Amino acid sequence: MSTDGIAPIAWHESEDFPPKPGNTPLCAIALKLEETTHVVHLKMESMNPTGSVKDRTGYGLVLDLEKRGHIERGGILIESTSGNLGVALAFLCAQRHYRFIAVVDPKTTTENLTRMRELGACIEMVEHPDETGGYLFSRLERVQTLLRRYPHAVWTNQYENLANPLIHYQTTAPEIYAQMHGRVDAIFVAVSTGGTLAGIARYFREVSPATRIIAVDARGSVVFGGAPGPRKLTGIGSSRPSSFLSADLYDAFLLVTDEEAFVFCRWLEKLTDLKVGGSSGATLAACARYLANHPQTRHVVCMCADRGEHYASSIYSDLWLQKQGLKLTGDRLGPVHSITLLKKGVP
């Protein structure tokens, strides 16, 4: 993997360093489609220290800055975040004695805002959407304003820092490959910055070129060249193309609506007691659609980026869904007839 000079990450061991992210389990479910039943392995990133795959990203970004001498004890880190990375960075900064400013927007869940504040983060709320109807460019503009206000502060820059995909190349992808005993026919990964997908894809292109890499994006996102549009999903999709992705890193991309993602979240909890976030629901919706058209696909992994408890006030709130005008009807499950929990742990 080309890293433009970024050396492999060496974990810092110290008395006050928090638990390392990673070594998250697989959980097997059965998706019964119209003609076939498929076993799908969920990579449960909810088991990371603050409950999301962004714990890995946060480690990669912070340790890269430390390794290059760009941050010192008492320094200020700034990042634009839809929620989970902000929580992960707030957690890290509290442990590493840095100050953290999280630039967020009104779509950030109440749960994540509360957790960031509890961890000592300073919250900068961007109130006005940008020209695309989203908030990303408004958040990035606020980051630049803050960097001018605090000239010694450092922007972790999850959007362009190659430490983002590198950490997933070094940790996430090898874990999946080992847990699946080297047998992965297809892996579904939600896209926002593209770092998780890029890191996983580069690893599998090297060790298992036959593995199909399926990118999952939100309808209304522009990552793959579509027209921008409103979306309620957070942690997936973007108002700008990814700095990390190229066409050789994925075999297909599938777009998922808010309703499709949310209905998979709610049905998964109802039928299996597994509670996942919106991007996980999106990967499951995309996976079901793909398997209906590719029934020969057997060894399947879906990245489940975070836990559903982060969305108690949104996805799992009937009142919130009603206010958003979202109706989660059974037809949104597409070809899926039932979802069954098979076992927790590796296959």
Side-chain angles (χ1 to χ4, degrees):
M1 177 182 180
S2 174
T3 60
D4 291 356
I6 296 180
I9 292 168
W11 301 115
H12 291 207
E13 296 288 353
S14 69
E15 202 172 312
D16 62 347
F17 203 73
K20 296 176 187 176
N23 295 316
T24 56
L26 291 178
C27 183
I29 63 170
L31 292 182
K32 184 178 181 182
L33 308 185
E34 294 174 355
E35 303 295 335
T36 57
T37 298
H38 292 268
V39 176
V40 176
H41 301 282
L42 310 182
K43 182 63 168 165
M44 302 299 288
E45 291 297 287
S46 59
M47 301 305 292
N48 279 309
T50 72
S52 86
V53 69
K54 294 296 188 179
D55 279 302
R56 299 181 192 257
T57 306
Y59 267 89
L61 295 171
V62 170
L63 295 183
D64 171 62
L65 293 176
E66 291 180 345
K67 192 176 187 69
R68 292 189 285 148
H70 288 187
I71 185 71
E72 296 178 355
R73 188 184 182 100
I76 302 173
L77 291 180
I78 301 173
E79 185 57 282
S80 155
T81 173
S82 61
N84 284 331
L85 181 60
V87 175
L89 287 174
F91 180 70
L92 272 170
C93 287
Q95 297 288 334
R96 303 298 280 175
H97 308 291
Y98 306 137
R99 291 172 288 173
F100 176 54
I101 303 174
V103 180
V104 300
D105 62 59
K107 291 172 64 177
T108 307
T109 66
T110 301
E111 292 80 11
N112 277 337
L113 287 172
T114 298
R115 294 165 76 221
M116 281 187 268
R117 288 191 175 104
E118 289 174 347
L119 289 164
C122 174
I123 302 297
E124 280 276 329
M125 178 67 71
V126 171
E127 299 287 355
H128 302 291
D130 54 40
E131 63 272 15
T132 70
Y135 292 92
L136 175 59
F137 291 113
S138 296
R139 295 201 316 256
L140 293 177
E141 184 178 344
R142 182 69 61 84
V143 167
Q144 295 305 315
T145 298
L146 291 168
L147 289 173
R148 290 191 293 270
R149 185 183 305 169
Y150 305 107
H152 298 295
V154 180
W155 178 24
T156 45
N157 194 359
Q158 62 168 320
Y159 309 96
E160 296 177 338
N161 188 335
L162 288 175
N164 179 347
L166 181 62
I167 194 68
H168 299 290
Y169 174 86
Q170 291 183 329
T171 69
T172 317
E175 282 176 30
I176 294 169
Y177 186 74
Q179 289 172 318
M180 292 295 292
H181 309 296
R183 297 173 297 173
V184 184
D185 293 335
I187 181 166
F188 296 79
V189 186
V191 176
S192 53
T193 66
T196 304
L197 175 65
I200 290 174
R202 287 195 186 280
Y203 180 86
F204 274 91
R205 288 296 192 240
E206 293 175 9
V207 303
S208 180
T211 297
R212 300 275 293 176
I213 307 297
I214 312 299
V216 181
D217 197 14
R219 192 169 296 279
S221 164
V222 306
V223 172
F224 297 104
R231 58 188 191 277
K232 303 299 180 184
L233 278 166
T234 59
I236 179 175
S238 180
S239 300
R240 55 172 266 181
S242 169
S243 299
F244 306 124
L245 294 181
S246 54
D248 62 307
L249 289 179
Y250 54 90
D251 298 288
F253 68 87
L254 298 174
L255 302 181
V256 177
T257 66
D258 293 329
E259 292 89 346
E260 288 174 310
F262 297 162
V263 80
F264 268 86
C265 291
R266 298 288 291 256
W267 272 79
L268 184 69
E269 183 199 20
K270 179 179 179 180
L271 299 176
T272 70
D273 285 330
L274 295 175
K275 202 167 186 175
V276 298
S279 68
S280 305
T283 61
L284 282 167
C287 176
R289 195 191 310 165
Y290 182 89
L291 292 176
N293 295 318
H294 301 83
Q296 74 282 3
T297 307
R298 294 184 56 213
H299 305 291
V300 179
V301 176
C302 282
M303 283 293 293
C304 287
D306 66 349
R307 60 178 65 144
E309 286 77 6
H310 298 175
Y311 307 91
S313 63
S314 56
I315 298 171
Y316 293 94
S317 165
D318 293 338
L319 180 60
W320 182 85
L321 292 172
Q322 183 180 356
K323 286 181 177 179
Q324 306 306 316
L326 299 173
K327 295 183 179 180
L328 306 187
T329 54
D331 62 305
R332 298 289 184 179
L333 287 169
V336 174
H337 285 195
S338 69
I339 305 172
T340 306
L341 179 64
L342 296 180
K343 60 180 178 179
K344 295 182 178 180
V346 299

